[in-house]
Short mmCIF file of all heavy atoms in Angstrom, two decimals:
data_model
loop_
_atom_site.label_atom_id
_atom_site.label_comp_id
_atom_site.label_asym_id
_atom_site.label_seq_id
_atom_site.Cartn_x
_atom_site.Cartn_y
_atom_site.Cartn_z
N SER A 28 0.80 -1.21 -0.02
CA SER A 28 0.02 0.00 -0.01
C SER A 28 0.85 1.32 -0.01
O SER A 28 0.57 2.24 -0.72
CB SER A 28 -0.90 0.08 1.24
OG SER A 28 -1.79 -1.10 1.24
N TYR A 29 1.91 1.18 0.87
CA TYR A 29 2.82 2.36 0.87
C TYR A 29 3.52 2.68 -0.46
O TYR A 29 3.64 3.83 -0.94
CB TYR A 29 3.90 2.19 1.95
CG TYR A 29 4.89 3.20 2.06
CD1 TYR A 29 4.64 4.50 2.60
CD2 TYR A 29 6.22 2.96 1.73
CE1 TYR A 29 5.48 5.48 2.67
CE2 TYR A 29 7.19 3.98 1.92
CZ TYR A 29 6.81 5.18 2.34
OH TYR A 29 7.80 6.21 2.44
N GLY A 30 3.92 1.51 -1.09
CA GLY A 30 4.53 1.66 -2.42
C GLY A 30 3.52 2.31 -3.44
O GLY A 30 4.05 3.14 -4.41
N GLY A 31 2.26 1.95 -3.39
CA GLY A 31 1.27 2.54 -4.26
C GLY A 31 1.29 4.06 -4.01
O GLY A 31 1.12 4.91 -4.97
N MET A 32 1.32 4.34 -2.75
CA MET A 32 1.27 5.84 -2.38
C MET A 32 2.42 6.50 -2.93
O MET A 32 2.29 7.67 -3.48
CB MET A 32 1.18 5.91 -0.85
CG MET A 32 1.06 7.41 -0.42
SD MET A 32 1.08 7.49 1.39
CE MET A 32 2.83 7.11 1.87
N LEU A 33 3.62 6.09 -2.64
CA LEU A 33 4.82 6.68 -3.29
C LEU A 33 4.79 6.92 -4.82
O LEU A 33 5.20 7.85 -5.28
CB LEU A 33 6.00 5.77 -2.93
CG LEU A 33 6.56 5.96 -1.48
CD1 LEU A 33 7.86 5.05 -1.29
CD2 LEU A 33 6.90 7.41 -1.02
N THR A 34 4.26 5.78 -5.41
CA THR A 34 4.31 5.83 -6.88
C THR A 34 3.39 6.82 -7.39
O THR A 34 3.79 7.49 -8.47
CB THR A 34 3.87 4.37 -7.44
OG1 THR A 34 4.91 3.43 -6.86
CG2 THR A 34 4.00 4.36 -8.91
N PHE A 35 2.29 7.08 -6.80
CA PHE A 35 1.16 7.98 -7.55
C PHE A 35 0.73 9.23 -6.87
O PHE A 35 -0.06 9.89 -7.34
CB PHE A 35 -0.07 7.03 -7.89
CG PHE A 35 0.24 5.96 -8.82
CD1 PHE A 35 0.19 4.59 -8.40
CD2 PHE A 35 0.49 6.25 -10.12
CE1 PHE A 35 0.59 3.60 -9.33
CE2 PHE A 35 0.86 5.13 -11.05
CZ PHE A 35 0.83 3.95 -10.61
N ILE A 36 1.35 9.32 -5.72
CA ILE A 36 0.90 10.62 -5.01
C ILE A 36 1.20 11.98 -5.90
O ILE A 36 0.47 12.86 -5.84
CB ILE A 36 1.46 10.68 -3.54
CG1 ILE A 36 1.01 11.90 -2.81
CG2 ILE A 36 3.03 10.82 -3.58
CD1 ILE A 36 1.41 12.03 -1.39
N PRO A 37 2.46 11.97 -6.50
CA PRO A 37 2.63 13.11 -7.47
C PRO A 37 1.55 13.27 -8.40
O PRO A 37 1.06 14.44 -8.72
CB PRO A 37 4.02 12.89 -8.01
CG PRO A 37 4.62 11.87 -7.13
CD PRO A 37 3.58 10.95 -6.62
N LEU A 38 1.11 12.21 -9.14
CA LEU A 38 0.08 12.27 -10.11
C LEU A 38 -1.16 12.79 -9.51
O LEU A 38 -1.98 13.66 -10.11
CB LEU A 38 -0.01 11.03 -10.84
CG LEU A 38 1.13 10.62 -11.66
CD1 LEU A 38 1.04 9.21 -12.29
CD2 LEU A 38 1.49 11.49 -12.76
N TYR A 39 -1.57 12.06 -8.44
CA TYR A 39 -2.81 12.40 -7.72
C TYR A 39 -2.93 13.75 -7.33
O TYR A 39 -3.86 14.47 -7.34
CB TYR A 39 -2.93 11.43 -6.60
CG TYR A 39 -4.31 11.52 -5.88
CD1 TYR A 39 -5.41 11.40 -6.48
CD2 TYR A 39 -4.21 11.61 -4.38
CE1 TYR A 39 -6.66 11.51 -5.79
CE2 TYR A 39 -5.51 11.77 -3.72
CZ TYR A 39 -6.72 11.60 -4.44
OH TYR A 39 -7.80 11.73 -3.67
N ALA A 40 -1.76 14.29 -6.65
CA ALA A 40 -1.85 15.70 -6.19
C ALA A 40 -1.94 16.70 -7.21
O ALA A 40 -2.68 17.63 -7.14
CB ALA A 40 -0.61 15.87 -5.38
N ARG A 41 -1.21 16.31 -8.49
CA ARG A 41 -1.35 17.26 -9.55
C ARG A 41 -2.73 17.33 -10.20
O ARG A 41 -3.18 18.28 -10.55
CB ARG A 41 -0.43 16.81 -10.64
CG ARG A 41 -0.40 17.64 -11.91
CD ARG A 41 0.82 17.34 -12.80
NE ARG A 41 0.68 15.96 -13.35
CZ ARG A 41 1.57 15.41 -14.11
NH1 ARG A 41 2.75 16.04 -14.36
NH2 ARG A 41 1.30 14.13 -14.63
N SER A 42 -3.49 16.11 -10.12
CA SER A 42 -4.85 16.15 -10.64
C SER A 42 -5.77 16.87 -9.72
O SER A 42 -6.79 17.34 -10.05
CB SER A 42 -5.36 14.67 -10.62
OG SER A 42 -5.65 14.18 -9.40
N LEU A 43 -5.51 17.18 -8.46
CA LEU A 43 -6.09 18.06 -7.59
C LEU A 43 -5.72 19.53 -7.49
O LEU A 43 -6.19 20.20 -6.61
CB LEU A 43 -6.14 17.36 -6.11
CG LEU A 43 -6.62 16.00 -6.01
CD1 LEU A 43 -6.28 15.44 -4.61
CD2 LEU A 43 -8.20 15.94 -6.26
N GLY A 44 -4.51 19.74 -8.22
CA GLY A 44 -4.03 21.12 -8.27
C GLY A 44 -3.17 21.38 -7.08
O GLY A 44 -2.98 22.55 -6.48
N LEU A 45 -2.70 20.28 -6.48
CA LEU A 45 -1.85 20.46 -5.29
C LEU A 45 -0.33 20.00 -5.43
O LEU A 45 0.38 19.67 -4.44
CB LEU A 45 -2.41 19.57 -4.14
CG LEU A 45 -3.82 20.00 -3.58
CD1 LEU A 45 -4.34 18.95 -2.72
CD2 LEU A 45 -3.94 21.39 -2.94
N ALA A 46 0.09 20.00 -6.63
CA ALA A 46 1.46 19.49 -7.07
C ALA A 46 2.53 20.32 -6.27
O ALA A 46 3.52 19.71 -5.89
CB ALA A 46 1.59 19.47 -8.43
N SER A 47 2.33 21.56 -6.13
CA SER A 47 3.32 22.49 -5.61
C SER A 47 3.65 22.18 -4.10
O SER A 47 4.65 22.61 -3.57
CB SER A 47 3.09 23.99 -5.76
OG SER A 47 1.87 24.31 -5.16
N VAL A 48 2.61 21.53 -3.37
CA VAL A 48 2.81 21.39 -1.96
C VAL A 48 2.90 19.81 -1.70
O VAL A 48 2.82 19.42 -0.46
CB VAL A 48 1.61 21.96 -1.23
CG1 VAL A 48 1.66 23.47 -1.35
CG2 VAL A 48 0.20 21.48 -1.74
N THR A 49 3.16 19.01 -2.67
CA THR A 49 3.23 17.62 -2.29
C THR A 49 4.30 17.26 -1.41
O THR A 49 4.12 16.32 -0.45
CB THR A 49 3.60 16.78 -3.66
OG1 THR A 49 2.53 17.13 -4.66
CG2 THR A 49 3.49 15.35 -3.45
N SER A 50 5.39 17.97 -1.39
CA SER A 50 6.56 17.69 -0.34
C SER A 50 6.12 17.92 0.98
O SER A 50 6.66 17.24 1.98
CB SER A 50 7.63 18.63 -0.67
OG SER A 50 7.34 20.01 -0.65
N LEU A 51 5.20 18.79 1.35
CA LEU A 51 4.61 19.00 2.65
C LEU A 51 3.95 17.75 3.16
O LEU A 51 3.93 17.52 4.37
CB LEU A 51 3.59 20.20 2.74
CG LEU A 51 4.28 21.63 2.43
CD1 LEU A 51 3.08 22.69 2.44
CD2 LEU A 51 5.29 21.86 3.43
N PHE A 52 3.42 17.04 2.31
CA PHE A 52 2.73 15.70 2.74
C PHE A 52 3.73 14.84 3.37
O PHE A 52 3.52 14.25 4.49
CB PHE A 52 2.10 15.06 1.41
CG PHE A 52 1.56 13.64 1.73
CD1 PHE A 52 0.29 13.38 2.21
CD2 PHE A 52 2.37 12.60 1.59
CE1 PHE A 52 -0.25 12.16 2.45
CE2 PHE A 52 1.99 11.29 1.89
CZ PHE A 52 0.58 11.00 2.29
N PHE A 53 4.98 14.66 2.69
CA PHE A 53 6.05 13.84 3.23
C PHE A 53 6.62 14.38 4.47
O PHE A 53 7.08 13.50 5.42
CB PHE A 53 7.05 13.45 2.14
CG PHE A 53 6.51 12.67 1.07
CD1 PHE A 53 6.19 13.18 -0.11
CD2 PHE A 53 6.32 11.28 1.26
CE1 PHE A 53 5.64 12.38 -1.20
CE2 PHE A 53 5.95 10.47 0.22
CZ PHE A 53 5.51 10.96 -1.00
N VAL A 54 6.67 15.68 4.58
CA VAL A 54 7.24 16.25 5.78
C VAL A 54 6.34 15.90 7.11
O VAL A 54 6.79 15.51 8.13
CB VAL A 54 7.41 17.77 5.71
CG1 VAL A 54 7.65 18.43 7.02
CG2 VAL A 54 8.40 18.21 4.70
N VAL A 55 5.03 16.11 6.84
CA VAL A 55 4.08 15.76 7.97
C VAL A 55 4.07 14.31 8.22
O VAL A 55 4.10 13.85 9.36
CB VAL A 55 2.59 16.26 7.60
CG1 VAL A 55 1.61 15.73 8.56
CG2 VAL A 55 2.62 17.81 7.48
N PHE A 56 4.16 13.38 7.05
CA PHE A 56 4.14 12.04 7.29
C PHE A 56 5.40 11.62 8.13
O PHE A 56 5.24 10.70 9.00
CB PHE A 56 4.35 11.43 5.82
CG PHE A 56 4.38 10.00 5.81
CD1 PHE A 56 3.13 9.23 5.70
CD2 PHE A 56 5.46 9.18 5.85
CE1 PHE A 56 3.14 7.84 5.57
CE2 PHE A 56 5.47 7.81 5.68
CZ PHE A 56 4.25 7.12 5.67
N ALA A 57 6.60 12.10 7.89
CA ALA A 57 7.79 11.77 8.55
C ALA A 57 7.71 12.37 9.86
O ALA A 57 8.20 11.62 10.94
CB ALA A 57 8.96 12.37 7.88
N LEU A 58 7.35 13.59 10.16
CA LEU A 58 7.19 14.20 11.55
C LEU A 58 6.34 13.31 12.53
O LEU A 58 6.71 13.13 13.63
CB LEU A 58 6.72 15.65 11.37
CG LEU A 58 7.74 16.66 11.00
CD1 LEU A 58 7.06 18.06 10.86
CD2 LEU A 58 8.90 16.65 11.93
N ILE A 59 5.24 12.86 12.01
CA ILE A 59 4.29 12.14 12.89
C ILE A 59 4.98 10.81 13.10
O ILE A 59 4.92 10.28 14.34
CB ILE A 59 2.93 11.81 12.09
CG1 ILE A 59 2.17 13.10 11.89
CG2 ILE A 59 2.08 10.82 12.78
CD1 ILE A 59 1.80 13.65 13.20
N ILE A 60 5.66 10.19 12.24
CA ILE A 60 6.38 8.97 12.59
C ILE A 60 7.42 9.14 13.73
O ILE A 60 7.57 8.35 14.63
CB ILE A 60 7.10 8.34 11.38
CG1 ILE A 60 6.10 7.88 10.35
CG2 ILE A 60 7.99 7.16 11.74
CD1 ILE A 60 6.63 7.26 9.09
N ILE A 61 8.14 10.28 13.69
CA ILE A 61 9.28 10.53 14.63
C ILE A 61 8.61 10.91 15.96
O ILE A 61 9.11 10.44 17.03
CB ILE A 61 10.10 11.81 14.09
CG1 ILE A 61 10.83 11.41 12.75
CG2 ILE A 61 10.96 12.30 15.21
CD1 ILE A 61 11.46 12.48 12.10
N VAL A 62 7.57 11.69 15.98
CA VAL A 62 6.94 12.05 17.30
C VAL A 62 6.40 10.95 18.08
O VAL A 62 6.46 10.70 19.27
CB VAL A 62 5.97 13.19 16.99
CG1 VAL A 62 5.17 13.50 18.31
CG2 VAL A 62 6.63 14.48 16.54
N THR A 63 5.74 10.05 17.28
CA THR A 63 4.87 8.99 17.94
C THR A 63 5.76 7.72 18.22
O THR A 63 5.34 6.82 18.84
CB THR A 63 3.72 8.46 17.10
OG1 THR A 63 4.19 8.05 15.73
CG2 THR A 63 2.79 9.70 16.89
N ARG A 64 6.96 7.66 17.65
CA ARG A 64 7.75 6.35 17.72
C ARG A 64 8.06 5.98 19.21
O ARG A 64 8.00 4.80 19.46
CB ARG A 64 9.10 6.46 16.90
CG ARG A 64 9.94 5.24 16.79
CD ARG A 64 9.21 4.09 16.20
NE ARG A 64 8.51 4.23 14.99
CZ ARG A 64 8.96 4.19 13.75
NH1 ARG A 64 10.28 3.96 13.62
NH2 ARG A 64 8.28 4.39 12.75
#
């Protein structure tokens, strides 16, 4: 499931007009992992 997310999140975000902020998704994703670990 994670691999599917990595592969297509750029395309999915672009289809929603959010391509310029896709990197913020991964920042939040990583921060939550670090804080909750």
Side-chain angles (χ1 to χ4, degrees):
S28 298
Y29 177 68
M32 181 181 73
L33 282 181
T34 303
F35 295 111
I36 188 174
L38 298 176
Y39 183 52
R41 186 170 62 184
S42 72
L43 298 171
L45 298 171
S47 61
V48 292
T49 306
S50 59
L51 293 178
F52 173 91
F53 289 104
V54 171
V55 172
F56 183 87
L58 282 175
I59 292 297
I60 291 176
I61 293 170
V62 170
T63 60
R64 186 56 52 85

